[in-house]
């Protein structure tokens, strides 16, 4: 459960400016003001693009822009809750059992455990989350193929992404990453191990996730923390291309 309010005020503008007969420049800007429990406060984003037609039939274009996303209200205002978990896999104890050569799959299988082996799951939101920010840029062309009416080719390269991406960590992710960060391996079935490559040992993420798990003197899980966090940057890029042909008839 949980609850809270958010007020947002925004203002934006965009200009399209013909610099030359063959060159057009576009510039835009936006200002957002957030009133809530997060650290979003004021966001300033902008974008710019240019189009150049060196001759009829060819368009060269490019753009650059920044982006901003405040944390979801659920991620901010989610009230802390607790629940007992008794049906689970313990990857760390599974790794240790495999390493020691024990012929015991107790911790490698998800089973209903005795009450003494239950752990408490704590789930809550965070008002310390940072907003997601990032940027994107593209460049490409559109070419009307000469000599063939209605035939055009276009291609654009794009690159975009965000920093401080918000991710919800559930208890299974926390336990799996804890084991990988501490041992450098992960269970591969119930009798084998494979390298753990999701995160670098001793990284900020590994230091955080290992602190989200509490164990007793025998190594059994006592508590696990879960909820939203700011994770690393996420950027993707690619190429979009198309070939279009419009058939002209007598009526159209």
């Amino acid at each position: 459960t949980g609850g809270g309010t958010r007020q947002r005020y925004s203002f934006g503008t965009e200009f399209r400016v013909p610099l030359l007969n063959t060159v057009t420049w576009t510039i835009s800007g936006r200002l957002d003001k957030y009133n809530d429990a997060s650290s979003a406060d004021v966001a300033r984003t902008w974008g710019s693009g240019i189009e150049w037609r060196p001759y009829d039939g060819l368009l060269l274009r490019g753009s650059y822009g920044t982006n901003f996303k405040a944390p979801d209200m659920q991620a901010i205002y989610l009230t802390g809750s607790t629940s007992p978990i008794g049906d689970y896999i313990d990857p760390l104890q599974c790794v240790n059992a495999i390493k020691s050569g024990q012929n015991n799959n107790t911790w490698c299988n998800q089973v209903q455990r005795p009450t003494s082996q239950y752990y408490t799951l704590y789930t809550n939101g965070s008002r310390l989350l940072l907003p997601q920010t990032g940027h994107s840029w593209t460049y490409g062309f559109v070419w009307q193929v000469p000599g063939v009416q209605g035939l055009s080719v276009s291609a654009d390269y794009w690159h975009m992404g965000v920093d401080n991406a918000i991710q919800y960590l559930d208890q299974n992710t926390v336990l799996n990453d804890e084991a990988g960060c501490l041992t450098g391996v992960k269970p591969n079935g119930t009798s084998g191990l494979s390298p753990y490559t999701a995160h670098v040992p001793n990284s900020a993420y590994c230091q955080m996730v290992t602190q989200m798990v509490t164990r007793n003197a025998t190594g059994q899980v006592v508590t696990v923390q879960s909820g939203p966090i700011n994770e690393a940057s996420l950027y993707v890029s690619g190429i979009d291309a198309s070939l279009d042909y419009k058939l002209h008839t007598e009526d159209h």
Side-chain angles (χ1 to χ4, degrees), residues 26-252:
T26 303
I27 179 105
S28 62
R30 180 175 175 132
L31 180 70
D32 291 83
K33 169 63 177 175
Y34 292 84
N35 290 334
D36 58 20
S38 74
S39 60
D41 195 22
V42 177
R44 299 176 179 86
T45 53
W46 65 277
S48 183
I50 194 164
E51 297 179 348
W52 177 38
R53 299 181 183 273
Y55 61 85
D56 289 341
L58 177 62
L59 168 65
L60 303 178
R61 59 191 179 189
S63 65
Y64 178 86
T66 61
N67 58 67
F68 178 96
K69 184 178 185 296
D72 292 338
M73 293 181 67
Q74 179 184 2
I76 302 170
Y77 292 116
L78 180 65
T79 301
S81 63
T82 62
S83 56
I85 305 296
D87 187 358
Y88 63 94
I89 297 173
D90 189 339
L92 181 58
Q93 296 224 48
C94 177
V95 169
N96 292 334
I98 294 173
K99 282 185 173 181
S100 64
Q102 297 178 12
N103 187 18
N104 185 342
N105 298 328
T106 301
W107 298 109
C108 299
N109 293 321
Q110 183 161 329
V111 297
Q112 185 68 39
R113 307 192 178 281
T115 306
S116 61
Q117 294 178 357
Y118 280 26
Y119 70 80
T120 302
L121 174 65
Y122 294 92
T123 305
N124 57 276
S126 174
R127 301 190 179 190
L128 301 178
L129 289 172
L130 299 174
Q132 296 180 168
T133 60
H135 64 267
S136 64
W137 48 268
T138 66
Y139 60 84
F141 70 90
V142 180
W143 182 41
Q144 300 288 338
V145 179
V148 183
Q149 187 179 12
L151 180 62
S152 65
V153 179
S154 68
D156 291 278
Y157 176 82
W158 51 266
H159 176 83
M160 63 184 65
V162 297
D163 299 306
N164 297 322
I166 295 176
Q167 167 117 6
Y168 282 81
L169 297 185
D170 59 27
Q171 65 266 31
N172 293 327
T173 301
V174 172
L175 289 174
N176 282 317
D177 287 341
E178 179 217 18
C181 288
L182 291 176
T183 66
V185 294
K186 61 182 180 180
N188 182 11
T190 58
S191 59
L193 299 174
S194 57
Y196 172 79
T197 59
H199 299 277
V200 178
N202 297 320
S203 64
Y205 177 87
C206 279
Q207 294 176 19
M208 177 200 68
V209 80
T210 53
Q211 294 176 358
M212 295 174 71
V213 182
T214 304
R215 295 178 178 270
N216 61 19
T218 63
Q220 293 181 8
V221 179
V222 178
T223 65
V224 174
Q225 302 280 344
S226 68
I229 65 166
N230 287 112
E231 207 175 18
S233 303
L234 300 172
Y235 281 87
V236 293
S237 57
I239 296 176
D240 292 334
S242 65
L243 177 66
D244 294 322
Y245 177 68
K246 295 180 181 179
L247 178 64
H248 293 268
T249 64
E250 293 182 357
D251 297 330
H252 299 282

